[in-house]
Amino acid sequence: MSRIRAAYYDPDGSRYGIPTYWWRGAPGGYATRRQLRAAGLRPGGQPIAAQVLWQGVGGTRVAYLYRVDLARPKRTATPAQLRAVRAALTARRTCRICRQVRSYYIPRSLGECLDCAHPTEAAA
């Protein structure tokens, strides 16, 4: 075991407060939020069970781990929620001046589509 890995190895949590492992050194049964999401799960309100520490750009990096056996299935959006998201995304593409739905999101800095913001360039 190298010195770098030994500095981050604390399976009983006496040094860091929670069980700590080095990069790719955590035992089975733990997963990050991203790993849970890929498996169709979510933490479900459980506390952080462990952490992984490693030396990265800008200092020591951390990834929190959750117990897989306590994870719950991801919630699915209701049809009403999906309709609301679809309507919001369409509103972001609708110009407030010409009322046309564009294939791109209207820049917030302009507040209108590119054709309405720069009519001489669009005509050329």
Side-chain angles (χ1 to χ4, degrees):
M1 182 182 317
S2 70
R3 289 184 321 181
I4 295 172
R5 290 186 173 189
Y8 299 133
Y9 186 69
D10 181 25
D12 56 357
S14 60
R15 187 179 328 156
Y16 296 104
I18 60 174
T20 303
Y21 303 96
W22 59 76
W23 179 253
R24 298 188 182 196
Y30 292 112
T32 63
R33 281 184 179 270
R34 185 173 288 186
Q35 291 168 334
L36 288 174
R37 190 177 333 122
L41 301 170
R42 61 185 171 98
Q46 65 173 298
I48 296 169
Q51 65 184 353
V52 172
L53 293 177
W54 72 96
Q55 191 64 34
V57 176
T60 303
R61 306 287 307 264
V62 63
Y64 297 116
L65 302 174
Y66 300 90
R67 291 180 41 187
V68 176
D69 59 337
L70 298 179
R72 295 183 180 162
K74 281 176 35 176
R75 295 182 296 199
T76 57
T78 65
Q81 289 172 327
L82 293 175
R83 279 193 306 273
V85 168
R86 198 174 309 114
L89 293 177
T90 303
R92 288 182 60 190
R93 294 185 3 241
T94 305
C95 177
R96 64 181 174 89
I97 304 298
C98 64
R99 295 288 184 212
Q100 291 186 11
V101 178
R102 300 296 180 169
S103 61
Y104 55 88
Y105 291 126
I106 306 297
R108 291 178 57 194
S109 60
L110 299 176
E112 54 195 21
C113 68
L114 300 179
D115 291 341
C116 292
H118 307 291
T120 57
E121 294 175 11

